[in-house]
């Protein structure tokens, strides 16, 4: 376990090292292996017009319909469902939660299809986005169909928790929509018109909500008590926020492990990411200069200065301390629901993986 | 009961006159009264950003958020759910099916929000469409949220049929998506490249599927046998296709009761509606001339000639005979599931209402 966050970690909340068998890479691979057959058979059940788009989006087919070897992302959300179920209910609960895991992954991908349309993003997982290949209407429709598939999987699941899981997942979709709305609305505002609370609330709705829901669904499928379901939801939300904070730091200063976005990408896009808004809200002279720079069109020669201003205004430190705080809270939520460190090890590894504290 | 279709009706399948108390207007009003509180409370549960758009779309608020007195359409789909439940399970089943009726109406409105974005339609129910007021991203998100609300209503419903109803409604959403895809794809084709079977399949998926699903959900909530659920689904589908055929006739020659679209609207838009495609597929000299006209940009002076060609090529007669056939089949499906004419009266009235054979 390494990473640039080591210096902001507090000894008192330092989580135990994951036990053997809790390697995040292995957990993710196992999740992908468990969930893919369910996911594929759900997508195969679509009418051909919708199936083509979904298979392309998941990276299983090229645009011309020939099979592709790409895989469909890291399966973090299905892994959270399955690992939460295993933590609270053992291997049987994990096996029973596979449909729920597939449903969460379908919801995630439905939102990606629609977000790419709204944000006009042209690349996703190193490939052209679905709307650039099939057009906007088809990308919207395929997203709609994936949401329906997700909720159908749960409606058809005889497990006693399936109805509560479906209601929870549907509520999460509403929250994701509100989060995406807030994100779009804030991008249209000037740098002086966005508050830190608003950006934090947006990040929780857009990123934290589905990670929390994934963990909660796993707990529901393990037959957990309500308070444990809520604790696991909180765990996922806090870990999700820690992830977003660190992702935003990487979006400005680059990934110390050099596997992420190029340094400065978010600044060039004038993104109101968490460190930037923290800097803008700092009341420092640097905040004033940063706001002026952000109001002007992007110029390459200003990039270094912009990053320096965010750092000097305290945005970088704030984000790293916040991320560590969120992770500490996540660990407390996890310990409440799963007191046995051995049982909690898998979820801990996943939280560390998404916050890039381990690989 | 009057209407221009009288001449194509067959005596042998002539349905009985609806009994007193089966007036379609009364049924629709009662459905609206039953379903509105459920619908409103579902929409009130949305985060404020999504709620605003939904309230506007339903006609309950103006764009500035002030209350509006408009109502949210005719409630045909909720009326089908409630009337089907009553036909097979009496007033108790009707009362229990209110959530399902609201869910169907939410799905219908989610598809309207998205279809308007895709089709770039600027007017709906005599008001600017949501995307023209709130922008494309917000209209997409509000549609997504309404789909989630619909499936949440069923997931939270303790009725023993709710899971099967949810699975059926989710499947219907997938069919609606495929139908809208087919519609969009066909509009991009030339007039010689569309077959009658394709247009019929599209109309069934886009219009028939949800009317059938509404009836099937009512049957499920009445605890009906599988075969009766399927028979009511078929009833709704056939009635929906009859509706579409007559709507297409009205889109060319106008509404004999002068309450519908202006004559010629669909021809001006070069719409490949059912009578037009039937005419194009007729193998007549008029079909050849019609195809040439349809390939050229619209000119007002050609409108009368175009309508005449569709009529001479047999498109009008075909559509009217088809509509009568579909209604006859719908009546047979209805009689299979609900042999008692008194119990079937409400569904019969609604089918006649949607096909404009009674007001």
């Amino acid at each position: 376990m390494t990473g640039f966050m080591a210096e902001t970690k507090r000894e008192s909340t330092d989580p135990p090292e994951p036990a053997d068998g809790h390697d995040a890479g292995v957990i993710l691979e196992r999740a992908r292996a468990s969930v893919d057959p369910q996911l594929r058979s759900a997508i195969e059940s679509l009418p051909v017009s919708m199936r083509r788009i979904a298979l392309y989006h998941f990276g299983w087919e090229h645009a011309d319909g020939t099979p592709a070897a790409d895989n469909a992302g890291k399966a973090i959300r299905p892994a959270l469902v399955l690992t939460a179920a295993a933590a609270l209910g053992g291997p049987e609960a994990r096996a029973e939660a596979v449909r729920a895991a597939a449903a969460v992954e379908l919801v995630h991908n439905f939102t990606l299809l629609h977000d790419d349309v709204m944000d006009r993003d042209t690349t996703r997982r190193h490939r052209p986005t679905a709307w650039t290949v099939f057009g906007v209407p088809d990308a919207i429709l395929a997203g709609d169909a994936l949401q329906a598939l997700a909720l159908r999987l749960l409606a058809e699941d005889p497990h006693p928790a399936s109805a509560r899981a479906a209601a929870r997942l549907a509520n999460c979709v509403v929250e994701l929509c509100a989060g995406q709305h807030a994100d779009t609305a804030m991008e249209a505002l000037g740098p002086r018109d966005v508050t830190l609370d608003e950006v934090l609330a947006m990040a929780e709705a857009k990123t934290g909500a589905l990670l929390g829901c994934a963990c909660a669904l796993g707990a529901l499928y393990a037959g957990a008590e309500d308070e444990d379901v809520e604790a696991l939801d909180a765990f996922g939300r806090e870990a999700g926020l820690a992830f977003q904070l660190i992702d935003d730091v990487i979006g400005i200063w680059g990934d110390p492990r050099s596997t992420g976005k190029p340094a400065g990408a978010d600044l060039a896009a004038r993104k109101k990411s968490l460190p930037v808004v923290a800097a803008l809200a700092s009341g420092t002279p640097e905040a004033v200069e940063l706001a002026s720079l952000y109001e002007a069109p992007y110029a390459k020669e200003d990039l270094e200065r912009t990053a320096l201003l965010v750092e000097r205004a305290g945005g970088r430190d704030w984000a790293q301390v916040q991320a560590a705080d969120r992770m500490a809270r996540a660990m407390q939520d996890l310990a409440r629901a799963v007191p046995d460190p051995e049982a909690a090890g898998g979820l801990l590894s996943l939280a560390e993986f998404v916050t890039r504290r381990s690989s």
Side-chain angles (χ1 to χ4, degrees), chain A residues 108-120:
Chain A
H108 177 52
N109 281 280
F110 127 62
T111 64
L112 295 181
L113 279 162
H114 284 191
D115 287 358
D116 286 342
V117 166
M118 291 176 233
D119 302 339
R120 298 270 149 187

Side-chain angles (χ1 to χ4, degrees), chain A residues 179-190 194 272:
Chain A
Q180 169 69 5
H181 164 86
D183 195 12
T184 313
M186 280 190 301
E187 287 306 316
L189 294 177
V194 174
K272 292 180 204 77

